[in-house]
Amino acid sequence: MEKETTIFGIRAIIEAIKSNETIDKVFMQKGLQGELFRELEQLIRTEGINSSYVPVEKLNRLTRGNHQGAVAQISPIAFHDIDDLVMGVIESGKTPLFLLLDQLSDVRNFGAIVRTAECTGVNGIIIQKKGGAPINGDTIKTSAGAIFKMPICKVDHIKDAVFHMQSSGIRVIAATEKAQHFLYDVSFKEPCAIIMGSEGRGINPSVLKVVDDQAKLPILGEIESLNVSVACGAFLYEAVRQRQ
């Protein structure tokens, strides 16, 4: 059964955060005032929770309940610690294959990528705490349940994950059309992590500066790019092909 992923009401959200509930994102009404609301804002900042200020109409669409100006989305999964995950994979004797998603925003793309990652033996997915797609009912459905099988970690910034991978002996390869060579010319046989960028912007330029390698897909038609979930599938299956 799918866990309820939405809670509403300022006090209810405050208590959920204090109870260590895994909050994906909090939506707060623009211009709202009051001591309790300020307490929620402070708690969100302290805990580093993803949040945004929205019109009341947005909150009304998220829930029919008395939201009091705040609605939170609870993640249906527990997130893994990146240190424990990476070390566990290395100690298992497997050749690590990780996926880093740089602020991917569409939940269906996210779900489709998780599904493909599970099918291709990815050891874990690392996402950024802020700016990425939430894990909700659409994510679960699009992933065909793979979201419950795939270890997922959250980091403050995707560059934190890049540096962690590199310090653990894992090469970081960026999937970007800015690359000078195709993915077929890059080795995925050794421990590696693949970075996919957001739908509109791609990979953050500051992230591209610190990766170990870059690769692109050949585009033969007039459309300049592929959907990110399709592109991710091509990269992951090239890794599978090379490792066979």
Side-chain angles (χ1 to χ4, degrees):
M1 181 179 292
E2 179 184 328
K3 177 181 175 181
E4 178 58 48
T5 58
T6 302
I7 56 174
F8 53 87
I10 298 173
R11 173 56 66 188
I13 296 172
I14 289 174
E15 292 304 322
I17 296 172
K18 288 182 176 179
S19 299
N20 296 318
E21 191 70 66
T22 307
I23 306 292
D24 228 20
K25 187 170 185 176
V26 179
F27 297 93
M28 296 178 288
Q29 184 178 330
K30 288 180 179 178
L32 203 62
Q33 302 294 324
E35 184 176 340
L36 197 61
F37 187 69
R38 286 193 292 273
E39 180 183 348
L40 175 60
E41 289 180 307
Q42 180 59 47
L43 196 56
I44 287 170
R45 285 193 293 270
T46 301
E47 298 297 327
I49 296 171
N50 192 12
S51 65
S52 64
Y53 293 91
V54 298
V56 67
E57 291 80 9
K58 167 75 171 179
L59 300 177
N60 293 339
R61 289 195 297 271
L62 290 172
T63 179
R64 295 181 181 179
N66 180 20
H67 53 67
Q68 301 172 316
V71 176
Q73 292 178 333
I74 303 177
S75 173
I77 66 167
F79 294 99
H80 291 245
D81 177 81
I82 188 171
D83 294 313
D84 294 340
L85 177 61
V86 173
M87 186 57 65
V89 173
I90 292 172
E91 290 178 349
S92 73
K94 298 176 182 176
T95 302
L97 177 60
F98 290 99
L99 190 58
L100 280 54
L101 303 181
D102 187 10
Q103 295 185 295
L104 198 78
S105 60
D106 187 278
V107 294
R108 292 178 179 82
N109 281 337
F110 185 27
I113 285 173
V114 173
R115 183 176 183 174
T116 303
E118 202 281 329
C119 290
T120 51
V122 169
N123 301 120
I125 296 175
I126 294 84
I127 60 177
Q128 194 165 290
K129 287 181 179 177
K130 294 187 176 182
I135 297 175
N136 57 22
D138 284 335
T139 318
I140 295 169
K141 186 180 296 182
T142 313
S143 77
I147 197 78
F148 299 116
K149 301 177 183 294
M150 175 60 57
I152 296 178
C153 305
K154 279 191 173 185
V155 292
D156 291 328
H157 194 282
I158 209 70
K159 279 200 290 188
D160 297 335
V162 173
F163 296 142
H164 193 288
M165 294 292 165
Q166 291 169 333
S167 67
S168 302
I170 299 170
R171 290 179 65 249
V172 180
I173 303 166
T176 171
E177 72 279 0
K178 298 180 177 67
Q180 296 300 308
H181 43 249
F182 296 124
L183 78 164
Y184 311 117
D185 302 317
V186 174
S187 175
F188 295 94
K189 293 181 180 179
E190 62 268 29
C192 64
I194 300 169
I195 305 184
M196 305 301 302
S198 65
E199 292 85 353
R201 184 200 61 198
I203 298 172
N204 191 304
S206 67
V207 175
L208 284 176
K209 290 179 180 178
V210 297
V211 301
D212 298 299
D213 209 342
Q214 300 180 15
K216 64 182 178 180
L217 286 164
I219 302 295
L220 306 182
E222 296 181 8
I223 303 299
E224 295 181 353
S225 63
L226 290 170
N227 171 277
V228 64
S229 67
V230 175
C232 185
F235 269 82
L236 290 178
Y237 271 102
E238 173 60 14
V240 170
R241 185 191 70 80
Q242 291 189 20
R243 293 181 177 206
Q244 290 282 318

